Amino acid sequence: MEMNNESIMVCVHYGPHGQRLIQRGSQLARLQHAPLTVLTVDSAGDNEYNREKQQYLSGWENQTKEAGGQFLNRKCNGRKTVEVIVETAREKNITQIVIGQSSQTLWQEITRGSFINDLMEQLGPTDLHIVAVQRYPELLEQTHEQGFTAYLVKDGGRYVLAEEAAGSKPVKGVFFRELDTDFNTGLFKIVENGEAQYLRIVQNEWVKPR
């Protein structure tokens, strides 16, 4: 039996595109009968509990396990993100790396400057797959459940998601729940003057963009 020396690693970071990257890495791993590793690097340097972040981590871990892979969550501890990726890749004998390209992610060092050159120089003969992370509408089909009609209703000084219209001036739209979550976390689509607008919903509550 021919031995396969390929090994796939997907690098994901806090944000809605992680599931798509894991799907891409899983496909590569299946096609090549290669082991799969999914790595997220925590560069925050604090121990504060972030509810939304924990939901992403839990979803990624479940998705990775279902694909037969290993999920790793490692801290920078003062090092650069690229150094943690290189260290993990060498530890796991990785031959192919999948990363996402997005101007809106906090992990911007991946797609700017000399990151790719540094990575290739340090890792040697490693294939790098750069996946373009598209805007919300293109992500809905792969990363969210089928949408259903819902409303944003005012509750005190905030807007919350509801299945029925209530209160004054409820906002009607379509809610897309993220996969692998038990909470109403996802995207709320509103169409105004023929143009779609997507609002971020976290555990039933509309979160205004920062």
Side-chain angles (χ1 to χ4, degrees), residues 104 136 197-201 206-210:
Q104 296 184 3
Y136 283 144
Q197 180 182 5
Y198 292 84
L199 306 180
R200 184 91 178 100
I201 306 293
W206 171 39
V207 176
K208 295 181 180 179
R210 297 178 180 177

Side-chain angles (χ1 to χ4, degrees), residues 4-11 21 24-39 85 88-90 92-99 119-120 123-130:
N4 190 341
N5 294 322
E6 296 297 319
S7 184
I8 314 296
M9 184 168 76
V10 181
C11 297
L21 297 179
R24 178 65 64 86
S26 298
Q27 291 170 353
L28 289 173
R30 285 197 302 270
L31 288 172
Q32 301 181 44
H33 303 286
L36 172 69
T37 300
V38 175
L39 170 68
I85 294 174
T88 306
R90 288 175 174 168
K92 299 295 181 181
N93 296 316
I94 299 299
T95 61
Q96 300 183 49
I97 294 178
V98 179
I99 63 175
L119 189 61
M120 297 303 290
L123 287 177
T126 302
D127 293 335
L128 191 61
H129 304 269
I130 303 176

Side-chain angles (χ1 to χ4, degrees), residues 7-210:
S7 184
I8 314 296
M9 184 168 76
V10 181
C11 297
V12 294
H13 187 66
Y14 176 47
H17 63 276
Q19 290 172 326
R20 184 181 180 213
L21 297 179
I22 296 174
Q23 287 175 344
R24 178 65 64 86
S26 298
Q27 291 170 353
L28 289 173
R30 285 197 302 270
L31 288 172
Q32 301 181 44
H33 303 286
L36 172 69
T37 300
V38 175
L39 170 68
T40 183
V41 180
D42 185 358
S43 60
D46 58 53
N47 295 318
E48 290 185 11
Y49 178 77
N50 184 314
R51 182 176 60 186
E52 185 180 11
K53 184 175 182 180
Q54 290 303 316
Q55 288 179 20
Y56 278 120
L57 292 174
S58 178
W60 294 339
E61 184 172 10
N62 290 337
Q63 186 180 2
T64 302
K65 288 181 177 178
E66 289 176 359
Q70 180 184 21
F71 182 77
L72 300 176
N73 181 7
R74 296 188 168 175
K75 292 184 176 296
C76 282
N77 292 328
R79 295 173 297 170
K80 293 182 179 179
T81 301
V82 65
E83 294 175 353
V84 180
I85 294 174
V86 169
E87 178 184 84
T88 306
R90 288 175 174 168
E91 174 189 323
K92 299 295 181 181
N93 296 316
I94 299 299
T95 61
Q96 300 183 49
I97 294 178
V98 179
I99 63 175
Q101 181 178 24
S102 171
S103 60
Q104 296 184 3
T105 179
L106 297 177
W107 214 2
Q108 291 182 355
E109 61 180 288
I110 283 183
T111 56
R112 298 194 307 190
S114 59
F115 175 86
I116 293 177
N117 289 336
D118 291 345
L119 189 61
M120 297 303 290
E121 288 176 2
Q122 293 185 50
L123 287 177
T126 302
D127 293 335
L128 191 61
H129 304 269
I130 303 176
V131 180
V133 178
Q134 300 169 323
R135 294 177 180 268
Y136 283 144
E138 288 76 20
L139 286 170
L140 287 175
E141 183 177 345
Q142 296 186 39
T143 60
H144 294 71
E145 297 178 4
Q146 184 174 353
F148 61 87
T149 300
Y151 300 85
L152 284 181
V153 299
K154 198 164 186 178
D155 180 15
R158 60 179 187 163
Y159 281 91
V160 297
L161 190 72
E163 295 184 4
E164 298 180 358
S168 61
K169 298 182 179 180
V171 180
K172 183 178 181 180
V174 179
F175 177 66
F176 299 87
R177 181 186 289 111
E178 285 185 358
L179 296 174
D180 301 314
T181 177
D182 295 328
F183 301 99
N184 278 336
T185 293
L187 297 171
F188 187 78
K189 177 182 178 182
I190 303 172
V191 178
E192 294 182 349
N193 300 321
E195 294 187 1
Q197 180 182 5
Y198 292 84
L199 306 180
R200 184 91 178 100
I201 306 293
V202 176
Q203 289 205 6
N204 235 38
E205 184 176 351
W206 171 39
V207 176
K208 295 181 180 179
R210 297 178 180 177

